[in-house]
């Protein structure tokens, strides 16, 4: 037992180290996950890694003391090398210093070595190896075990779905049936694989050992497929290095899962031995207890991460773990229940194969949920069924080479050098007229349907409702990017960007910063990683939220700080531009704060944790507006309330924004209050399609500069002089994910959204009917053709404008 626990601790530590180094090697993950420290536990692991390493080394030395006393050379070498590496780490900054590079990737591979090393020491053939069971009992026992595992897993994940808010409607019940079919199909396929492994092993001189290693090879292949297709693709890592990384992690995990300490019998059971502790194999009752404990943990883990996942990646990982535990436990227990008389051996061998074929024939009954043009998963929150459906679904038809083309032009790594291109909407010089104060509030993840001007059912934003009466409410506003990483820079640039985080120096492209500098604005900016990168340093910046971590930026606190500065405006007469990106309702904030509401109000029909924080922000915003009015500044101010993107709050089981661009993510609020001096001069069409990237050209126009977009990928002014004609848009406007090769085209004047997902190879069409999530409809050839043509043309135009030369197989992932 001591050896098994030591081995488990060592393996977990080094696998976690390898994973952190791999994330550091991926530019996107480093920039958007590790850098902002979205998960405090991960940041703490990196900061304390050297001390944790020494502590785990001490425990490992104690746990492996018998091997040390026996002078086991392999164990001694492992401990000595580990100790040297740990001491050397104190001379460096440790994991926190890692940046996207081949060094980080090499460290990731190196960190897998201790776990593999210790596993290989433990994976010598145990004395309890048994020959494979006779054909009759063995086949029937395997099929029964696979069927039992399917029922356990399907039941667990259906229960998770039911307990996380999915109503038990007739559709839900039908979906449970489809989920059960999917699981039976998958585990029937696993039964066929087991049969091949056991049959092939009988040809070897040592069948039990051969069976165990064949099973480990199959498990390694499956885990590598999962790592590549589910985990790394979600992190936008593709190409040969992604394949190599997936293979390395798959191999390491397959070896770690089968420790000798459990005294599992030989063969497949030994390969999965680490999934079942020794005590759980002593009786069927104890095995049942172990399964209940694990599946309860699975359900709790799903609930814990449901509000903060990355395109279901963590949920799918948990689901895969539940498969392995259920299968391992069933294979250890079921054979004791299945006993056939000698005369029934032949039937026991044939019947499972017939049953398996019958189960596989049921797959068409689940096919309505396997279409990649249908985002509705088998059960809205059932990650296990989603994993199966995504794996079995065919790729959506696209123009030849489009998936590869989009992947090459997305998340362009640092190794591809791109010089900045100057973005200029108009020659700018300071005007003689008094400039209005500008307050630009971009509330991270704010959805329009949680504001009363957009949704009559909202009763918790009275201040924003009053503000809307005195402002222009753009009814069909969109972000250009479904994620902060590019959504915020697109506002400052005033258009679409090269999909790279980031082209530096960024200043030549920052059209808004140029305008503010020319007009001599004082800049009150909430400083965070993106703003520090895209806004040039200047004495005009007077930071907001100084010394406050970006994850702790809160709208009320920032507004209170701004209100404390308003006296300067009335005294000096200078003009100010204030900008903040509050994190009150970001999915990471909600997760850290327990995803619970902050008051006892009734938010029936709304996500309570989210809505309660919107209510709090609304109250503070109202106090800010009242303060402006008391000081006589309200009619001298241009106030913009918007968001960088929306968020999924349970639609079809989706949570957060990941790299998706579903309607609830790209539709945003956009309210603009003009100062009294500009209202008689400018007009707008609030029913027209608008983008957050239109804010910068709009400010050019409102400050007296006639904006001319430098290319078709840039925004248009939302306001025009009353006697001028408003600018017109393309028939199809393109939106995109900030983090993955997922693009969309707004068709029919923004009434339909076509999405082409080059990560999961699927497509969607949504009718934008005024609701948050729209209504998904089947993909028609006309929408596919128009959408793909618009996406390719726009990506081409982005590449031309920013002078990107991408050729050959595409840019590499690493520096």
């Amino acid at each position: 037992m001591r050896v098994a626990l030591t081995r488990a601790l060592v393996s977990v530590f080094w696998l976690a180290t390898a994973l952190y180094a791999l994330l550091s090697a991926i530019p996107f993950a480093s920039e958007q996950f590790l850098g902002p420290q979205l998960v405090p536990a991960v940041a703490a692991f990196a900061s304390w890694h050297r001390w944790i390493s020494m502590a785990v080394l001490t425990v490992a030395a104690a746990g492996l003391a018998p091997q040390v006393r026996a002078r086991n050379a392999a164990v001694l070498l492992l401990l000595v090398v580990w100790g040297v590496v740990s001491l050397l780490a104190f001379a460096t900054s440790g994991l926190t210093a890692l940046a996207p590079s081949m060094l980080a990737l090499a460290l990731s591979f190196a960190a897998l070595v201790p776990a593999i090393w210790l596993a290989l020491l433990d994976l010598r053939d145990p004395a309890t190896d048994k020959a494979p069971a006779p054909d009759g009992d063995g086949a029937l026992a395997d099929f029964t075990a696979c069927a039992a595992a399917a029922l356990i897993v399907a039941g667990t994940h259906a229960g998770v779905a039911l307990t996380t808010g999915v109503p038990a409607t007739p559709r839900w019940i039908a979906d449970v049936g489809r989920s059960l079919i999917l699981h039976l199909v998958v585990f029937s396929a696993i039964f066929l694989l087991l049969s091949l492994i056991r049959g092939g092993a009988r040809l070897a001189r040592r069948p039990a050992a051969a069976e165990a290693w064949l099973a480990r090879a199959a498990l390694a292949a499956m885990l590598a497929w999962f790592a590549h297709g589910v985990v790394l693709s979600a992190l936008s890592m593709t190409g040969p290095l992604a394949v190599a990384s997936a293979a390395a992690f798959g191999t390491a995990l397959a070896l770690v899962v089968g420790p000798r300490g459990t005294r599992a019998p030989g063969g497949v059971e030994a390969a999965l031995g680490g999934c079942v502790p020794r005590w759980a194999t002593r009786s069927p009752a104890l095995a049942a207890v172990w399964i209940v404990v694990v599946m309860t943990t699975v359900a709790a883990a799903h609930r814990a991460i449901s509000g903060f996942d990355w395109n279901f990646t963590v949920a799918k990982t948990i689901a895969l773990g539940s498969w392995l535990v259920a299968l391992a436990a069933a294979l250890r227990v079921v054979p004791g229940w299945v006993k056939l008389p000698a005369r029934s051996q032949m039937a026991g061998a044939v019947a499972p194969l017939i049953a398996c074929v019958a189960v596989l024939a049921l797959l068409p009954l689940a096919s309505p949920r396997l279409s990649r043009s249908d985002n509705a998963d088998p059960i809205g929150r059932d990650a296990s069924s989603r994993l199966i459906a995504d794996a079995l679904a065919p790729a959506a038809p696209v123009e030849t080479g489009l998936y590869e083309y989009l992947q090459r032009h997305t998340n362009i790594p640092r190794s591809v050098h791109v010089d900045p291109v100057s973005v200029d909407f108009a020659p700018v010089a300071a005007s003689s007229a008094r400039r209005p104060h500008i307050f630009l509030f971009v509330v991270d993840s704010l959805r329009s349907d949680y504001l009363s001007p957009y949704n009559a059912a909202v009763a918790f934003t009275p201040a924003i409702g009053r503000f809307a009466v005195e402002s222009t409410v753009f009814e069909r506003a969109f972000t250009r990017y479904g994620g902060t990483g590019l959504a915020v820079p697109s506002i400052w640039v005033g258009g679409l960007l090269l999909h790279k985080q980031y082209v530096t120096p960024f200043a030549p492209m920052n059209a808004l910063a140029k305008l503010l500098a020319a007009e001599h604005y004082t800049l009150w900016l909430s400083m965070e990683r993106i703003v520090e990168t895209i806004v040039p340093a200047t004495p005009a910046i007077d930071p907001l939220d100084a010394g406050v971590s970006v994850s702790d930026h809160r709208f009320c606190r920032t507004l209170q700080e701004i209100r404390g500065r308003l006296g300067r405006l009335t005294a000096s007469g200078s003009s100010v531009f204030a900008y903040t990106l509050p994190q009150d309702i970001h999915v990471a904030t909600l997760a850290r704060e327990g995803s619970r509401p902050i008051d006892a109000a009734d938010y029936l029909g709304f996500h309570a944790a989210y809505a309660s924080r919107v209510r709090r922000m609304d109250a503070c915003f109202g106090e800010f507006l009242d303060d402006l009015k008391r000081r006589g500044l309200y009619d001298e101010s241009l106030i913009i309330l918007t968001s960088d993107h929306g968020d999924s709050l349970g639609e079809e089981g989706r949570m957060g924004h990941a790299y998706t661009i579903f309607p609830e993510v790209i539709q945003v609020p956009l309210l603009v209050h003009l100062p009294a001096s500009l209202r008689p001069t400018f007009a707008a069409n609030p029913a027209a399609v608008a983008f957050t990237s239109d804010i910068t050209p709009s400010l050019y126009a409102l400050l007296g500069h006639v904006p001319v977009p430098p290319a078709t990928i840039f925004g248009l002014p939302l306001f025009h002089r009353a006697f001028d004609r408003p600018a017109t848009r393309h028939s199809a406007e393109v939106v995109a994910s900030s983090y993955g090769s997922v693009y969309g085209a707004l068709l029919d004047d923004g009434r339909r959204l076509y999405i082409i997902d080059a990560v999961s190879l699927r497509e969607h069409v949504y009718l934008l009917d005024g609701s948050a999530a729209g209504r998904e409809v089947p993909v028609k050839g006309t929408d596919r053709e128009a959408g793909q043509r618009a996406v390719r043309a726009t990506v081409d135009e982005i590449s031309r404008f920013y002078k990107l030369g991408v050729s050959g197989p595409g840019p590499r992932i690493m520096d």
Side-chain angles (χ1 to χ4, degrees):
M1 177 63 74
R2 183 176 66 178
V3 172
L5 291 176
T6 300
R7 180 182 179 280
L9 178 62
V10 171
S11 299
V12 168
F13 170 75
W14 283 109
L15 287 171
T17 302
L19 180 59
Y20 187 94
L22 179 62
L23 293 176
S24 299
I26 302 172
F28 155 69
S30 178
E31 291 281 353
Q32 301 301 331
F33 283 147
L34 303 183
Q37 300 185 354
L38 290 183
V39 182
V42 174
F45 175 76
S47 298
W48 290 89
H49 182 267
R50 290 164 292 184
W51 293 101
I52 297 173
S53 179
M54 293 297 292
V56 175
L57 173 59
T58 302
V59 173
L64 298 173
Q67 289 91 329
V68 173
R69 286 193 294 269
R71 296 184 180 180
N72 185 311
V75 171
L76 288 172
L77 181 60
L78 170 64
L79 296 177
V80 169
V81 172
W82 186 349
V84 172
V85 170
S86 296
L87 291 174
L88 290 176
F90 281 94
T92 70
S93 298
L95 292 187
T96 57
L98 290 180
S101 63
M102 288 302 297
L103 173 62
L105 185 63
L107 288 176
S108 176
F109 288 130
L112 294 174
V113 171
I116 294 175
W117 191 320
L118 194 56
L120 291 175
L121 291 177
D122 281 348
L123 289 178
R124 288 170 291 186
D125 290 344
T128 54
D129 270 1
K130 297 177 182 178
D135 287 343
D137 285 1
L140 183 60
D142 282 348
F143 183 78
T144 305
C146 289
L151 292 173
I152 291 168
V153 174
T156 297
H157 291 278
V160 171
L162 183 61
T163 57
T164 51
V166 177
T169 61
R171 173 183 170 179
W172 186 90
I173 295 171
D175 282 341
V176 171
R178 293 190 184 97
S179 174
L180 180 57
I181 291 173
L182 289 175
H183 285 88
L184 286 173
V185 166
V186 167
F187 280 88
S188 293
I190 291 174
F191 163 71
L192 292 178
L193 178 61
L194 286 176
S195 300
L196 289 173
I197 289 173
R198 294 199 197 275
R202 285 181 173 83
L203 303 176
R205 185 167 57 88
R206 300 170 63 194
E211 183 180 307
W213 283 104
L214 285 173
R216 290 182 190 112
L219 180 59
M222 182 191 71
L223 293 172
W225 167 84
F226 181 86
H228 184 268
V230 176
V231 179
L232 296 182
S233 65
L235 296 172
S236 297
M237 184 178 183
T238 59
L241 291 177
V243 173
S245 298
F249 274 84
T251 301
L253 288 168
L255 292 174
V256 164
V257 163
R260 183 180 58 182
T262 58
R263 291 187 181 175
V268 173
E269 290 77 6
L272 296 173
C275 296
V276 185
R278 187 190 309 174
W279 62 264
T281 63
R282 293 171 181 165
S283 71
L286 290 175
V289 169
W290 171 244
I291 290 175
V292 169
V293 169
V294 171
M295 295 305 156
T296 302
T297 303
V298 166
H302 274 301
R303 284 190 288 270
I305 59 92
S306 62
F308 185 37
D309 200 355
W310 184 253
N311 205 51
F312 299 99
T313 301
V314 179
K316 288 179 177 179
T317 303
I318 295 171
L320 181 62
S322 72
W323 293 11
L324 295 178
V325 171
L327 180 63
L331 287 173
R332 295 295 298 276
V333 174
V334 168
W337 300 345
V338 179
K339 296 295 182 182
L340 291 175
R343 64 179 178 273
S344 301
Q345 292 296 309
M346 181 61 69
V350 175
L353 294 176
I354 296 174
C356 183
V357 172
V359 169
L360 293 175
L362 296 176
L363 182 59
L365 296 178
S367 61
R369 294 296 187 220
L370 296 182
S371 170
R372 285 198 183 270
S373 64
D374 179 7
N375 183 63
D377 49 84
I379 301 176
R381 300 169 191 264
D382 182 348
S384 183
S385 295
R386 184 186 291 272
L387 173 59
I388 299 170
D390 286 350
L392 296 179
V398 296
E399 171 198 341
T400 303
L402 182 58
Y403 284 139
E404 294 79 5
Y405 173 82
L406 295 179
Q407 289 166 355
R408 287 201 308 270
H409 287 78
T410 303
N411 285 328
I412 299 168
R414 296 179 180 179
S415 58
V416 178
H417 177 75
V418 179
D419 291 319
V421 176
S422 183
V423 175
D424 300 292
F425 281 91
V428 286
S431 59
S432 57
R434 178 171 173 79
R435 300 174 301 280
H437 305 297
I438 302 174
F439 298 94
L440 175 55
F441 301 130
V442 183
V443 181
D444 200 322
S445 306
L446 180 62
R447 288 171 46 147
S448 55
D449 63 315
Y450 275 67
L451 304 181
S452 56
Y454 293 90
N455 185 354
V458 173
F460 45 84
T461 60
I464 294 175
R466 293 191 297 270
F467 176 69
V469 173
E470 302 165 342
S471 306
T472 301
V473 179
F474 291 94
E475 302 162 9
R476 296 193 297 146
F478 301 89
T479 179
R480 285 289 190 179
Y481 293 96
T484 306
L486 293 178
V488 166
S490 75
I491 294 174
W492 288 79
V493 169
L496 289 163
L497 297 157
L498 203 62
H499 210 290
K500 180 180 175 69
Q501 300 183 37
Y502 298 97
V503 174
T504 54
F506 199 91
M509 300 179 294
N510 197 325
L512 178 54
K514 293 178 183 178
L515 173 66
L516 299 173
E519 294 285 1
H520 303 296
Y521 271 88
T522 298
L523 308 180
W524 296 351
L525 308 179
S526 290
M527 303 303 292
E528 37 82 22
R529 288 170 60 90
I530 295 177
V531 169
E532 290 170 353
T533 300
I534 68 175
V535 178
T538 169
I541 295 177
D542 188 356
L544 295 168
D545 300 307
V548 178
S549 170
V550 62
S551 60
D552 295 324
H553 286 189
R554 298 292 181 269
F555 200 32
C556 291
R557 185 196 176 284
T558 306
L559 287 177
Q560 188 64 35
E561 183 176 353
I562 292 174
R563 290 173 62 189
R565 299 182 179 188
L566 293 179
R568 307 181 195 175
L569 304 184
T570 56
S572 67
S574 61
S575 297
V576 69
F577 173 87
Y579 165 87
T580 188
L581 183 73
Q583 302 294 299
D584 299 66
I585 51 177
H586 190 279
V587 62
T589 301
L590 296 182
R592 281 197 307 273
E593 296 178 355
S595 296
R596 293 185 296 271
I598 56 175
D599 57 38
D602 183 5
Y603 297 102
L604 187 64
F606 295 92
H607 188 285
Y610 185 100
S612 64
R613 288 163 175 80
V614 173
R615 178 195 288 272
R616 179 176 62 187
M617 289 190 292
D618 176 82
C620 296
F621 184 62
E623 293 171 359
F624 166 73
L625 297 178
D626 291 341
D627 202 350
L628 287 180
K629 291 176 181 179
R630 282 194 300 269
R631 298 173 182 270
L633 295 172
Y634 185 70
D635 282 332
E636 296 181 6
S637 299
L638 199 163
I639 306 169
I640 303 172
L641 178 65
T642 187
S643 176
D644 53 346
H645 55 78
D647 231 348
S648 295
L649 295 174
E651 292 79 9
E652 296 294 352
R654 302 185 293 263
M655 290 298 297
H657 42 280
Y659 54 76
T660 61
I661 54 171
F662 293 117
E664 68 270 16
V665 174
I666 66 163
Q667 296 185 114
V668 296
L670 180 56
L671 299 87
V672 182
H673 166 80
L674 295 184
S677 60
L678 297 180
R679 291 174 210 158
T681 309
F682 287 92
N685 179 6
V689 170
F691 292 94
T692 52
S693 57
D694 297 330
I695 291 173
T696 286
S698 298
L699 292 177
Y700 270 80
L702 293 170
L703 294 182
H705 309 282
V706 179
V708 177
T712 58
I713 57 175
F714 290 92
L716 300 172
L718 298 173
F719 294 88
H720 60 278
R721 294 189 179 273
F723 49 81
D724 291 337
R725 293 181 59 185
T728 57
R729 297 190 184 278
H730 296 291
S731 58
E733 292 283 349
V734 171
V735 294
S737 164
S738 282
Y739 307 130
S741 51
V742 182
Y743 292 79
L746 291 164
L747 308 173
D748 191 20
D749 193 30
R751 293 178 177 84
R752 293 197 311 283
L753 170 65
Y754 171 81
I755 300 173
I756 177 67
D757 183 341
V759 175
S760 57
L761 308 184
R762 64 175 62 188
E763 59 179 356
H764 311 272
V765 169
Y766 285 87
L767 293 182
L768 303 183
D769 55 5
S771 64
R775 179 165 59 90
E776 187 168 11
V777 297
V779 180
K780 296 181 179 179
T782 52
D783 286 341
R784 177 182 295 122
E785 181 182 354
Q788 292 181 13
R789 183 173 59 248
V791 168
R792 182 180 277 275
T794 299
V795 174
D796 279 343
E797 178 64 17
I798 292 171
S799 298
R800 282 194 297 270
F801 181 83
Y802 291 104
K803 297 185 170 77
L804 172 70
V806 178
S807 59
R812 295 179 292 113
I813 293 297
M814 304 298 160
D815 284 330

